[in-house]
Amino acid sequence: MSGRIVAEDWGWRHASRRAWAVRHLNFVIEPGERVLLLGASGAGKSTLLAGLAGVLGDGDEGEESGSLLIDGLVPRDLRGHAALVMQDPESQIVLARIGDEVAFGCENMCVPVEEIWPRVEQGLSSVGLALPLGHPSDHLSGGQQQRLVLAGALAMGADLLLLDEPTANLDPAGVHQVRTSIGQLLQERSNCHTTAQSGPCDYAQGDGAREYVQRYDPPRHSAQPQPRDSAQHPPRNPAQHLPRHSAQPSPRHSAQHPPRNPARPLPRHSAQPSPRHSAQPSPCHSARQSQNPETTPTPTQPCSSHTLIVVEHRCDVWADLVDRVLVLGAEGLIADGTPHEVFTSRGDELAAMGVWVPPRTTTVNSGPCDSAQGDGTGQCTQRDGTGECAQRDGTGECAQHCDPPPTHGSVGTAPTDPPASGLSARHSPRLSVAHHQSRHSAQPLPCHSAQPLPCHSARQSQNPETTPTPNEPCSSDNPILSTQDLTIGYGTKAVATNLFIDIPQGKSTIITGPNGSGKTTLALTLAGLLPPLSGKVIASDNLAGSSLPHPHTWSSKELLTRIGTVFQSPEHQFVAGTVFDEIAIGLKARGEKRGREPLSRRAHDPKENIEEKVNSLLDEFHLTHLGRANPFTLSGGEKRRLSVATVLAANPQVIILDEPTFGQDYLTWQAMVSMVESLRDQGTTIISVTHDQAYLDTLGDHHINLGER
Amino acid sequence: MSSTSNPRRLRWRVVDIVVAAVLGVAIGFVFFGWNFAGNSLGGLLKTFYPPLKGLVGGVWLLGGILGGLVIRKPGAAIFVEMVAALVSTLLGSQWGLTVLISGFLQGFGAELVFLLFFYRVWKLPVAMLAGVVAAGFEWVFELIAWYAGWVWPHKLVLGGTLMVSGAVLAGLLGWLIVRGLARTGALDRFESGREVRQLV
């Protein structure tokens, strides 16, 4: 036994919704499969993961149809079997210090005390969170939170790894690191499988799984192997279905639990498993025993394999790691197959529905999304979504174009003509391809044109010497915001110091940098929401009007029309009870101000205008059907759209967007990018914090890299 | 309706426990405030006719009504009222520990009514009845603890005023508060919240 997932016409409707979040799902996921779960925003991906983790709740929380079973059991009764990394990492951090946080899962899995701390260290290092164990977990950036949560999930050693956009907030190096760590973990496990007969299986991560196997695999199973399983996975079977009790019955074990074994229901065969037993049996000693070499008969050690189910909009990160792609649609699965099959045969169809389909190239056999392999080495290869360049490095052909980047383009400045192709590509199904193709057509050199200046500036700025030096003047003559020897941080703790930054008016400025480098802090400081620790943020006269030129001294009403901020965590800015009201708030606040003088008109005009405006925004952001929903009940992608819409509604002169595109399907991405483009073209100054390379390519008029300072 | 068919509907979830506790603490602060405001008002009424002071008593019954109406699970009324009583006691009240006894009895009264309707009916009349019964229990306690020396007409009128107050200040007010809360979306994870907001 090791976790065969069977969905039969499964569906879930959240209690506050009329529509089903996900429905008519039919699939079987065998143990050890690595599945990439795709689907448009709001397709129910997170709901499915929550269902598999057993955290959807019961009848109070929603309505279930069909069945979703893991080895014949309801996931709710199998908690601990799955490690879930939720979309919003903040929502699953429970303890005050990061070491404790990672240890928490292990403790709940009854991992022996002496093994916990090594696991914690290993978990943290595998996600690259190099902070002391006592570091407060509420002093983490968004990306660091995501790493922390991942570390906890990895350390837990659960059989089933459920990752919901685990790299959405990570910097490119972090994405690479996390992907590699998970790849190694999966690799270890599959080695474990093939060598299970010959050697011991002593992985730090293995314990929970072993405990699980012990608990749920009654000896009988070896006597009656599952025909279905064995047919589908002949090589895995021997290891899987020979629980160690059967080969070497451990007398101690049976002595300790004489009454339990017979009484215990056989999960797979019994129609109605007793939830009590399966939910909380977890005798700690079983995990501990497995540590004891004497009681662990190595030859038949059942090394169950890690199953990975990952949701990620940008498939290229995981493409070389997964062996199967499931695409969720409104009424069941749209596609199911290997990445190659799915993307080549159904690509256009999927792209039209908003799925980020990786660019398909002529060299398909190397895998459609392999461009991710260049990932950590530099944004250049990663961003070359077509894979053309990165793939063929070896041949020298393409690498030639790509490799020695012409050093034109001074650092910090950006191509003055942002690719109009961003807009023209709007109706094309595949973003990156569309971009690149349109650029191809414009410029002869494919690789260069595919990677214009932002790539270089990003790369160069990793070189400390060429990092924008403090006094270097920026590209713009009339900065709308500028900083002078600015130190940013919270309380007394500085996150970044000596910042001299100019934000050019009417352009799109993009702030990038590694996790924890202070991007969000800088954005909040520029936005006037956080006072500088030292130094100044200076607004232009134009922006400041009659007020002091320092944004943090402005009232919120003044800020409303001057600088609007979209927070990294969308929930932090929701204040109303419905999506509609949420968007209307900014409009109302402005309307009241205007309506004060002509009292007679106030009752009619602004109100209707507001409704009209809100409806058009809802429409633009594909949120119309959710107008009356509570903002907190939206899906991750929907929340993000709503938070952007609320700020756009107030139409401030400067808009600051913190990770505006994470969690978005392709269609919304396009809509958002073109909206930002048109705002900029109308003269709004945009400041974005992002790791999204495609976004940087399209909107990086001006680029600030906070890394490597 | 799913609530009637779902066998687990009476089981407490984590969110129930947390929200009930938070509700209890919040109402505890309301009690604490009312200990001064309501008691002064009651003192004023008392100068006209002593049993009239019962008219302010309903506010102290809010916990049970709100707890029941929001959480809709067995024990919620008692729990919330008890937490509220405890908080107001810890903050300090002129009645000391007797507040805990009152709290239990008041919660019990409301609970009894919700039980009578099998935890299925949560309409305004039920809320008001819960207020009345809660007031009834409080009345009996007050007769023993504080007003043993009163003449019976006074005692009876006190009962009447208490119950009217319970129906209005606890039942009606509590019901309105729950509707208001539900409208904000704060109760979307509860049947009580979803009933008010339409599904979307």
Side-chain angles (χ1 to χ4, degrees):
Chain A
M1 109 127 267
S2 43
R4 186 169 193 262
I5 301 167
V6 180
E8 276 174 7
D9 201 37
W10 186 74
W12 182 265
R13 183 182 64 78
H14 293 287
S16 61
R17 290 282 192 284
R18 196 170 286 144
W20 289 76
V22 56
R23 193 171 197 186
H24 299 315
L25 282 189
N26 287 291
F27 60 77
V28 175
I29 295 177
E30 298 293 344
E33 279 198 281
R34 302 152 184 194
V35 180
L36 176 65
L37 193 58
L38 294 176
S41 176
K45 302 180 293 292
S46 301
T47 305
L48 174 57
L49 289 196
L52 285 168
V55 296
L56 269 182
D58 48 33
D60 274 342
E61 308 283 350
E63 184 184 346
E64 189 171 21
S65 72
S67 71
L68 180 66
L69 300 175
I70 301 178
D71 282 328
L73 289 178
V74 185
R76 189 191 296 123
D77 299 332
L78 275 178
R79 286 185 194 149
H81 174 63
L84 173 67
V85 170
M86 296 196 279
Q87 200 168 20
D88 176 11
E90 202 183 9
S91 63
Q92 74 186 98
I93 295 175
V94 290
L95 291 172
R97 294 176 298 186
I98 66 171
D100 298 347
E101 177 66 35
V102 178
F104 188 64
C106 300
E107 285 169 346
N108 280 283
M109 301 286 282
C110 294
V111 172
V113 176
E114 62 277 7
E115 203 190 310
I116 289 182
W117 290 108
R119 279 202 196 194
V120 171
E121 304 268 1
Q122 197 196 339
L124 286 172
S125 77
S126 70
V127 297
L129 193 60
L131 292 170
L133 295 179
H135 188 87
S137 49
D138 54 351
H139 290 191
L140 294 177
S141 76
Q144 286 170 332
Q145 284 176 348
Q146 200 152 41
R147 289 172 196 242
L148 174 62
V149 166
L150 267 164
L154 297 182
M156 218 174 117
D159 284 346
L160 178 58
L161 208 47
L162 303 168
L163 309 178
D164 198 349
E165 303 200 36
T167 64
N169 288 318
L170 298 191
D171 54 51
V175 171
H176 181 68
Q177 186 170 26
V178 162
R179 195 189 53 108
T180 309
S181 298
I182 290 171
Q184 278 166 0
L185 188 73
L186 296 175
Q187 194 59 42
E188 279 175 14
R189 283 313 201 91
S190 52
N191 285 347
C192 152
H193 246 294
T194 51
T195 60
Q197 301 285 353
S198 55
C201 169
D202 191 19
Y203 300 106
Q205 276 84 5
D207 221 354
R210 256 176 270 151
E211 175 197 344
Y212 177 80
V213 168
Q214 265 193 334
R215 274 194 267 135
Y216 296 111
D217 236 4
R220 265 202 240 169
H221 273 208
S222 57
Q224 6 171 286
Q226 299 258 307
R228 262 211 277 174
D229 269 5
S230 49
Q232 286 176 16
H233 281 289
R236 275 183 197 155
N237 222 9
Q240 236 166 23
H241 292 291
L242 284 178
R244 59 184 97 120
H245 312 23
S246 56
Q248 272 190 12
S250 150
R252 259 217 269 168
H253 216 74
S254 43
Q256 278 176 7
H257 287 292
R260 184 172 290 182
N261 262 339
R264 214 174 356 168
L266 296 178
R268 278 197 203 155
H269 309 300
S270 62
Q272 270 293 337
S274 141
R276 195 67 52 74
H277 269 263
S278 39
Q280 298 291 348
S282 137
C284 284
H285 78 270
S286 70
R288 216 170 285 134
Q289 271 192 347
S290 66
Q291 287 306 296
N292 183 342
E294 287 172 15
T295 57
T296 313
T298 47
T300 51
Q301 174 84 33
C303 285
S304 62
S305 48
H306 261 309
T307 306
L308 170 72
I309 303 181
V310 59
V311 170
E312 194 95 67
H313 280 281
R314 313 296 179 86
C315 83
D316 47 1
V317 178
W318 299 97
D320 58 341
L321 214 71
V322 299
D323 46 29
R324 183 171 173 192
V325 174
L326 294 181
V327 186
L328 290 192
E331 297 285 322
L333 287 181
I334 301 175
D336 177 2
T338 65
H340 178 82
E341 279 166 22
V342 170
F343 294 132
T344 48
S345 63
R346 314 286 298 278
D348 289 325
E349 190 188 335
L350 298 178
M353 305 179 76
V355 176
W356 285 91
V357 176
R360 282 150 282 160
T361 63
T362 45
T363 56
V364 183
N365 48 2
S366 64
C369 315
D370 292 23
S371 59
Q373 276 162 352
D375 207 355
T377 62
Q379 283 112 324
C380 184
T381 45
Q382 184 204 16
R383 178 162 41 86
D384 181 19
T386 62
E388 289 174 79
C389 200
Q391 289 304 305
R392 281 183 260 153
D393 262 351
T395 69
E397 186 197 344
C398 185
Q400 237 177 3
H401 297 297
C402 188
D403 228 348
T407 46
H408 56 84
S410 68
V411 176
T413 51
T416 41
D417 57 338
S421 55
L423 270 175
S424 65
R426 199 173 173 181
H427 300 292
S428 159
R430 279 158 288 132
L431 166 90
S432 34
V433 167
H435 264 186
H436 295 191
Q437 279 172 350
S438 53
R439 285 181 198 166
H440 285 201
S441 55
Q443 294 174 16
L445 289 176
C447 285
H448 280 190
S449 54
Q451 300 152 15
L453 292 173
C455 174
H456 302 152
S457 57
R459 216 191 233 179
Q460 280 188 340
S461 58
Q462 286 178 352
N463 177 352
E465 285 167 31
T466 55
T467 313
T469 48
N471 294 320
E472 192 174 29
C474 266
S475 58
S476 173
D477 306 321
N478 54 339
I480 192 163
L481 284 170
S482 57
T483 70
Q484 278 181 9
D485 196 17
L486 179 70
T487 299
I488 54 174
Y490 299 88
T492 53
K493 204 168 160 256
V495 178
T497 53
N498 304 111
L499 295 168
F500 289 81
I501 289 168
D502 283 345
I503 305 294
Q505 178 160 9
K507 294 203 170 152
S508 164
T509 299
I510 288 184
I511 303 172
T512 61
N515 292 131
S517 59
K519 300 181 297 298
T520 295
T521 315
L522 174 60
L524 292 177
T525 310
L526 289 174
L529 300 174
L530 200 63
L533 293 190
S534 73
K536 285 177 193 159
V537 177
I538 300 162
S540 70
D541 295 345
N542 202 359
L543 181 63
S546 55
S547 323
L548 287 173
H550 307 304
H552 74 274
T553 62
W554 300 346
S555 72
S556 48
K557 206 150 217 174
E558 287 169 328
L559 270 176
L560 185 71
T561 53
R562 293 177 189 170
I563 307 180
T565 309
V566 174
F567 294 134
Q568 186 169 20
S569 173
E571 295 193 352
H572 289 177
Q573 69 192 89
F574 293 156
V575 289
T578 68
V579 168
F580 186 96
D581 292 344
E582 192 66 56
I583 298 181
I585 280 176
L587 294 170
K588 278 183 188 154
R590 277 180 13 148
E592 270 173 20
K593 214 173 171 184
R594 258 193 250 123
R596 219 162 261 161
E597 301 98 37
L599 259 175
S600 53
R601 251 191 292 156
R602 188 174 152 196
H604 305 288
D605 277 348
K607 216 170 198 175
E608 278 172 19
N609 282 342
I610 286 176
E611 198 163 330
E612 217 169 274
K613 186 97 194 275
V614 172
N615 281 330
S616 82
L617 275 167
L618 285 174
D619 192 43
E620 251 172 307
F621 282 88
H622 311 299
L623 290 171
T624 308
H625 61 294
L626 296 167
R628 282 203 319 274
N630 182 344
F632 288 91
T633 63
L634 303 188
S635 83
E638 288 160 355
K639 280 180 192 159
R640 170 47 78 208
R641 265 134 65 195
L642 175 60
S643 63
V644 174
T646 54
V647 169
L648 293 192
N651 196 21
Q653 291 183 56
V654 179
I655 294 180
I656 297 182
L657 305 159
D658 198 346
E659 306 265 11
T661 56
F662 89 80
Q664 294 310 314
D665 63 39
Y666 171 61
L667 292 178
T668 320
W669 188 96
Q670 271 186 320
M672 202 168 291
V673 166
S674 59
M675 189 162 305
V676 171
E677 274 180 329
S678 74
L679 278 170
R680 178 199 56 196
D681 295 344
Q682 289 160 27
T684 306
T685 305
I686 314 278
I687 304 171
S688 316
V689 170
T690 193
H691 296 297
D692 179 347
Q693 192 66 40
Y695 186 89
L696 174 61
D697 289 351
T698 315
L699 289 163
D701 303 354
H702 178 59
H703 181 194
I704 298 167
N705 189 330
L706 282 183
E708 312 286 331
R709 287 177 52 84
Chain B
M1 180 148 285
S2 63
S3 68
T4 50
S5 58
N6 171 18
R8 290 174 180 248
R9 79 182 171 94
L10 295 182
R11 290 215 334 210
W12 283 62
R13 303 165 297 167
V14 174
V15 65
D16 295 322
I17 299 168
V18 172
V19 171
V22 170
L23 206 56
V25 173
I27 295 170
F29 278 89
V30 173
F31 285 4
F32 180 66
W34 196 246
N35 287 350
F36 298 101
N39 209 40
S40 316
L41 194 64
L44 194 71
L45 291 171
K46 214 164 120 182
T47 58
F48 297 104
Y49 179 55
L52 278 183
K53 78 179 292 245
L55 286 175
V56 301
V59 172
W60 285 297
L61 311 175
L62 262 178
I65 312 299
L66 278 181
L69 292 185
V70 169
I71 311 288
R72 298 190 171 184
K73 310 256 157 138
I78 294 180
F79 178 74
V80 173
E81 182 76 22
M82 280 297 283
V83 172
L86 185 65
V87 168
S88 78
T89 308
L90 292 177
L91 290 172
S93 88
Q94 53 269 59
W95 301 286
L97 291 176
T98 62
V99 171
L100 291 182
I101 302 171
S102 287
F104 177 77
L105 290 172
Q106 292 158 6
F108 185 74
E111 189 76 48
L112 214 58
V113 173
F114 297 134
L115 172 67
L116 206 70
F117 289 90
F118 297 104
Y119 298 102
R120 273 171 208 266
V121 188
W122 307 97
K123 297 196 186 319
L124 178 59
V126 176
M128 292 177 77
L129 182 61
V132 170
V133 175
F137 277 84
E138 173 64 13
W139 176 59
V140 172
F141 172 70
E142 291 194 4
L143 287 190
I144 299 165
W146 315 113
Y147 305 115
W150 278 16
V151 293
W152 268 102
H154 273 37
K155 290 181 180 175
L156 289 178
V157 175
L158 177 71
T161 53
L162 264 177
M163 287 180 197
V164 168
S165 180
V168 176
L169 289 183
L172 175 63
L173 185 66
W175 186 80
L176 289 174
I177 290 174
V178 172
R179 280 183 68 89
L181 277 175
R183 248 186 230 116
T184 66
L187 304 180
D188 275 5
R189 290 199 58 201
F190 299 88
E191 192 63 40
S192 53
R194 293 190 291 264
E195 208 170 79
V196 173
R197 290 162 66 91
Q198 296 155 293
L199 299 188
V200 289

